[in-house]
Amino acid sequence: MARTLTFAAARGLARSRLNCACSLTHIRSLTSATNENNINQHYDVIIAGGGAVGSVLARLLLNDNVDKSLLSHRRLRPLKIALLEQRSSPPSLENIANTSSKTKHTPNARAYALSPTSLSYLGSSVLQRLKQTNRLGIYDSMQIWEHDGPAQLHFAGEDLNEAVNSGRLVDLHGLIERNNDTEQHQKQQQQSNRRPWLGSVVEDAPLVSAVWDELRNDERIDLIDNVQITSISAPSQNTMGNVEPPPPVEISCTRSITNEGGSKHDEECTLSADLLVAADGANSFVRRTLGHSFPMITHSYDRKAVTCTVELDVRKGDMAKTAFQRFLPHGPIALLPVWNSLNNDDNDAPIYANVVWSTTPSEANHLLSLSGTEFITTLNHHLCQGPNVNPPLLSNNNNRGMPHIPIIGTIAKEMDSLLRTANTALTMGTWTESPSRNYFRMPPASARVVGPIMGFDLKLSHVQQGYTAPRVALVGDAAHTVHPMAGQGLNLGMGDVYSLSELIKEAVDSGMDVAGTGLFLDRYNQERMVKGLGTVGGVHGLHELFRCSGSNSSSGIMNANALNSGGNASGVESIVGLGRSLGMNVVNGLGPLRRAFAEAAAGAAFSR
């Protein structure tokens, strides 16, 4: 079983065993003797941050992923890992599920939209337990539309069939059923109506608890909670490339200990590692402490996200495993499926969904100031509307300053009418391989807010020079943050931890120091810089593209009439808006192009 590390050497082994017997979380305690260098413990890898990114990295590092019959290809030695978490260790997933059933718990708004590839990194057993406890908000359909045009994007699970069948994308149905008995597995495989998932919404707490439950059962990792890193001593850049490997990174920690009587005291310790991984979020202490090694590029979107959980006024099935997203003048609003009642026979069971609404700070603050009833009214007014027609490119405002030449004005107006008509025709046409894709489905209305309405500022950030320094690597939000409009935040972090874990295990298999040379860390840095900058840049480009609205950019939630009527936009904004609308229709209509977008979002490998 995993070990919780206490730092006081005087406690002794007998006391450790007593602590183990009394531990409610079944984590074995270890007391480390301090050596002459005052290093209480040395590890191959120390992971700072026990949240979703850090815990999944630990799980991947402990996963040999090698056929047991190929003993010669097993790890040459087991990795010794420490996972440091500033908060208390999370409860077990069973405790969360039992508490939810007794207290009529509702889904939490702090959740992630994970792609199929990111879900696969959780592993078969974690996915099985999340599904068994009904903590997966699975969606196999997605509908995206704009407020100032007719364009729509409809993605469906069928768009991923070729990628799954060719092995370029994991079959999540098969992964979850991997450990089922043969007869049941064969019966489930024969179901012909199972569509690949486009993704799943997973709450933060159950996700982290499920992964920690896996880690608690592995003796190769020390789980150290209630710990605060106070200082870090890392090798300088000029130590790389020498004959001798750079010295280990050392960190000083303070851990809060609660005695049996309930009193608390702090213990101090110094730990060392061949590699320190910063998985401690956007405000990473590790990155800030080593700031000279990790300068950041930052950009404020001047936008704020408002998120909450709502109960829908529809009955079960009306969400139809669909994620909805509508683009408004100041940002998108999304309605995402989450877990719901396990009792399929209860027709009166409430149905929940998560709302993520990105808008200007003033409008976000206005939303946060509303009562629950007022928020629901505003939400339904702006989400439960269908596509619109493109506003004229040549409105009266846009004509100002143009030479008054009748024939030019007539030609311009005819071209304007032709382009807008063509775009509407593309939307209404049935030129895809599945005509139902062009059928717009109105999202379900919300009945009430359950839980708090929260807000947070949106910004872009990315490391400027690289993800690594001597014996240090950044993963997840410690290295980058993106706008939530494309749901790529945690998915990008999951890609980081998978890439890093594979290179660490490759180093160990080669009999090499995990980070003693730049060979493996440089490869990680190169891979993730390309992916990270590409994703951050792509999401930023989408954000800027949808900021060019065909309606008056000053219209918004506090000016509903202007929003719904389309308003007046500048000529450039109208042209960009029409071009964006045409582009969406082209993507939706061209099957290979649409499938390529769906596969990229799902994390499928490129076809060769």
Side-chain angles (χ1 to χ4, degrees):
M1 300 179 69
R3 303 178 292 181
T4 293
L5 182 65
T6 58
F7 299 145
R11 290 183 181 273
L13 183 59
R15 183 66 177 271
S16 295
R17 289 174 177 171
L18 177 61
N19 289 343
C20 174
C22 298
S23 174
L24 296 178
T25 56
H26 305 291
I27 306 177
R28 181 157 54 89
S29 296
L30 171 70
T31 298
S32 301
T34 304
N35 62 24
E36 60 182 6
N37 294 320
N38 197 32
I39 301 296
N40 295 82
Q41 193 68 263
H42 179 80
Y43 297 92
D44 293 304
V45 181
I46 292 178
I47 303 170
V53 171
S55 59
V56 171
L57 172 60
R59 198 209 72 80
L60 288 171
L61 288 174
L62 295 174
N63 178 23
D64 286 327
N65 198 27
V66 176
D67 190 330
K68 291 183 179 180
S69 63
L70 305 176
L71 295 179
S72 61
H73 293 159
R74 302 289 289 177
R75 303 272 89 80
L76 296 179
R77 61 178 176 82
L79 282 167
K80 190 174 183 181
I81 304 167
L83 181 63
L84 277 55
E85 172 53 42
Q86 188 173 352
R87 299 165 296 184
S88 298
S89 61
S92 69
L93 180 60
E94 284 69 22
N95 285 346
I96 291 179
N98 292 337
T99 301
S100 299
S101 62
K102 294 177 182 178
T103 61
K104 296 184 179 179
H105 176 72
T106 57
N108 193 294
R110 189 183 180 192
Y112 313 106
L114 294 180
S115 70
T117 297
S118 294
L119 289 167
S120 71
Y121 297 154
L122 303 180
S124 174
S125 58
V126 170
L127 278 177
Q128 284 176 5
R129 295 177 63 239
L130 287 171
K131 194 169 189 297
Q132 290 167 359
T133 54
N134 201 36
R135 292 288 160 165
L136 295 177
I138 300 166
Y139 54 94
D140 56 19
S141 178
M142 181 181 295
Q143 178 177 283
I144 305 168
W145 73 106
E146 50 186 3
H147 78 280
D148 59 348
Q152 305 163 42
L153 275 175
H154 296 264
F155 294 106
E158 289 85 355
D159 290 327
L160 302 178
N161 278 337
E162 194 278 330
V164 172
N165 294 336
S166 64
R168 293 187 293 110
L169 184 66
V170 64
D171 176 14
L172 290 176
H173 294 289
L175 182 64
I176 290 178
E177 297 157 5
R178 177 174 294 174
N179 296 330
N180 290 359
D181 61 83
T182 304
E183 182 177 349
Q184 182 182 5
H185 181 51
Q186 291 176 346
K187 184 183 298 183
Q188 291 171 329
Q189 279 190 319
Q190 292 172 357
Q191 298 177 0
S192 59
N193 61 342
R194 295 193 312 181
R195 301 202 298 181
W197 301 357
L198 292 178
S200 177
V201 176
V202 189
E203 291 171 280
D204 176 76
L207 171 61
V208 174
S209 289
V211 180
W212 271 66
D213 286 347
E214 293 276 306
L215 300 178
R216 289 181 175 116
N217 294 321
D218 199 305
E219 63 183 7
R220 295 170 294 175
I221 186 169
D222 288 336
L223 303 174
I224 310 175
D225 63 352
N226 295 313
V227 64
Q228 177 71 48
I229 299 176
T230 56
S231 65
I232 302 172
S233 176
S236 61
Q237 190 66 45
N238 58 19
T239 60
M240 299 301 292
N242 298 333
V243 176
E244 292 293 327
V249 61
E250 296 181 9
I251 63 175
S252 297
C253 306
T254 300
R255 189 182 185 209
S256 177
I257 302 295
T258 302
N259 297 328
E260 294 176 2
S263 61
K264 294 183 178 181
H265 70 279
D266 291 340
E267 291 181 348
E268 295 183 356
C269 173
T270 300
L271 307 177
S272 69
D274 294 333
L275 177 64
L276 171 63
V277 181
D280 48 346
N283 196 33
S284 168
F285 177 83
V286 175
R287 189 195 66 231
R288 288 185 289 112
T289 302
L290 305 175
H292 61 282
S293 299
F294 299 107
M296 299 290 290
I297 302 169
T298 60
H299 170 74
S300 174
Y301 284 112
D302 191 30
R303 292 292 186 270
K304 192 171 184 177
V306 176
T307 182
C308 64
T309 303
V310 296
E311 180 183 332
L312 306 177
D313 68 354
V314 297
R315 294 304 92 192
K316 186 163 290 188
D318 287 344
M319 278 292 285
K321 294 184 179 179
T322 302
F324 297 93
Q325 187 173 48
R326 186 183 188 221
F327 280 90
L328 301 178
H330 293 157
I333 178 172
L335 188 72
L336 305 173
V338 294
W339 64 268
N340 284 288
S341 173
L342 281 170
N343 187 358
N344 294 322
D345 297 327
D346 185 2
N347 294 326
D348 295 324
I351 304 299
Y352 302 107
N354 276 0
V355 173
V356 182
W357 192 339
S358 302
T359 186
T360 61
S362 60
E363 291 188 349
N365 292 334
H366 171 69
L367 290 172
L368 292 170
S369 70
L370 299 177
S371 67
T373 302
E374 292 170 331
F375 181 87
I376 288 297
T377 300
T378 305
L379 172 65
N380 288 334
H381 177 77
H382 289 89
L383 180 63
C384 299
Q385 295 190 39
N388 210 330
V389 294
N390 291 119
L393 296 178
L394 297 175
S395 63
N396 291 333
N397 287 342
N398 295 339
N399 280 327
R400 294 173 183 173
M402 294 182 62
H404 184 66
I405 303 176
I407 188 169
I408 293 180
T410 301
I411 293 175
K413 288 182 179 180
E414 290 299 323
M415 288 296 297
D416 179 5
S417 177
L418 177 62
L419 288 172
R420 292 191 293 120
T421 302
N423 194 34
T424 302
L426 288 178
T427 304
M428 299 176 63
T430 56
W431 62 312
T432 70
E433 69 271 27
S434 176
S436 63
R437 286 185 183 277
N438 282 333
Y439 175 73
F440 179 82
R441 209 163 62 83
M442 189 67 70
S446 300
R448 67 185 183 96
V449 177
V450 293
I453 303 175
M454 301 175 290
F456 55 92
D457 295 325
L458 301 178
K459 70 174 183 178
L460 173 155
S461 67
H462 196 278
V463 287
Q464 185 174 350
Q465 297 177 357
Y467 286 53
T468 62
R471 295 205 180 275
V472 180
L474 306 184
V475 293
D477 285 356
H480 44 66
T481 58
V482 298
H483 195 289
M485 64 183 294
Q488 290 300 306
L490 184 56
N491 290 309
L492 189 57
M494 288 292 194
D496 294 342
V497 300
Y498 178 77
S499 174
L500 183 60
S501 68
E502 289 297 296
L503 290 170
I504 290 173
K505 289 188 285 188
E506 184 179 338
V508 175
D509 282 344
S510 302
M512 301 179 68
D513 185 340
V514 169
T517 71
L519 176 63
F520 298 101
L521 287 185
D522 285 350
R523 285 173 56 192
Y524 168 72
N525 183 53
Q526 292 168 5
E527 290 177 9
R528 299 316 297 172
M529 279 291 284
V530 171
K531 180 65 175 178
L533 288 173
T535 301
V536 169
V539 173
H540 179 69
L542 285 174
H543 176 265
E544 295 303 309
L545 178 63
F546 278 95
R547 286 185 68 172
C548 292
S549 174
S551 65
N552 189 348
S553 60
S554 65
S555 64
I557 65 171
M558 293 182 285
N559 190 358
N561 291 331
L563 171 63
N564 296 330
S565 63
N568 292 318
S570 70
V572 173
E573 287 181 333
S574 295
I575 292 171
V576 172
L578 178 59
R580 180 197 65 226
S581 188
L582 283 165
M584 288 177 63
N585 273 329
V586 169
V587 171
N588 191 58
L590 293 178
L593 185 58
R594 186 190 63 250
R595 287 190 289 273
F597 274 86
E599 290 177 4
F606 292 108
S607 58
R608 298 178 179 178

